[in-house]
């Protein structure tokens, strides 16, 4: 799943509970974080980890794959809600993916 597909899932009625279940994530975790396979490119695959697993690391390696932390799920859900409730509701999933990606990598 890439960032655009993740956005599409939630914009089309997907729930956090179902998402966590489908991804085998503990929804009672203190935080679920969104990571991207490195090297960073907009359409790279995402991975989702509980903060207890990554300990909040900016970079994380699992099964030999290097990941970079983009943001936590609360931030992601908040951005989607703000867009939905704003004058920018006509943004496409791709537009939102580009905005989120650019914001996330600007912290490098």
């Amino acid at each position: 799943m890439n960032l655009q597909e993740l956005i599409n899932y939630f914009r089309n009625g997907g729930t956090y509970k179902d998402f966590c279940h489908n991804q085998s994530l503990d929804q009672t975790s203190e935080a679920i974080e969104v990571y991207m396979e490195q090297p960073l490119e907009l359409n790279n695959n995402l991975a989702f980890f509980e903060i207890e697993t990554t300990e909040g690391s900016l970079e994380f390696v699992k099964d030999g794959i290097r990941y970079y932390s983009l943001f936590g799920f609360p931030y992601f859900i908040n951005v989607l809600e703000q867009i939905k409730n704003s004058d920018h509701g006509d943004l496409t999933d791709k537009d939102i993916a580009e905005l989120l990606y650019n914001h996330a990598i600007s912290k490098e």
Side-chain angles (χ1 to χ4, degrees), residues 37-79:
E37 286 185 15
Q38 293 189 34
L40 298 178
E41 293 182 20
L42 179 61
N43 293 315
N44 278 10
N45 287 328
L46 301 178
F48 312 96
F49 302 107
E50 295 94 350
I51 197 167
E52 294 84 358
T53 301
T54 65
E55 298 178 348
S57 304
L58 194 56
E59 294 190 12
F60 183 71
V61 178
K62 180 165 181 175
D63 300 329
I65 300 173
R66 295 187 69 78
Y67 296 97
Y68 181 81
S69 175
L70 295 181
F71 39 76
F73 245 94
Y75 171 80
F76 171 74
I77 298 296
N78 186 43
V79 167

Side-chain angles (χ1 to χ4, degrees), residues 13-107:
T15 67
Y16 182 72
K17 180 180 178 181
D18 289 342
F19 181 81
C20 288
H21 177 75
N22 294 339
Q23 296 291 323
S24 300
L25 296 165
D26 179 3
Q27 76 178 63
T28 64
S29 169
E30 182 179 329
I32 302 294
E33 301 177 304
V34 179
Y35 280 76
M36 180 178 275
E37 286 185 15
Q38 293 189 34
L40 298 178
E41 293 182 20
L42 179 61
N43 293 315
N44 278 10
N45 287 328
L46 301 178
F48 312 96
F49 302 107
E50 295 94 350
I51 197 167
E52 294 84 358
T53 301
T54 65
E55 298 178 348
S57 304
L58 194 56
E59 294 190 12
F60 183 71
V61 178
K62 180 165 181 175
D63 300 329
I65 300 173
R66 295 187 69 78
Y67 296 97
Y68 181 81
S69 175
L70 295 181
F71 39 76
F73 245 94
Y75 171 80
F76 171 74
I77 298 296
N78 186 43
V79 167
L80 293 183
E81 283 299 313
Q82 286 183 4
I83 290 170
K84 182 174 139 183
N85 297 324
S86 74
D87 294 336
H88 303 290
D90 60 343
L91 289 173
T92 67
D93 296 343
K94 183 179 182 203
D95 293 335
I96 297 169
E98 289 172 355
L99 291 168
L100 283 167
Y101 173 80
N102 289 331
H103 176 74
I105 65 167
S106 70
K107 67 182 180 189

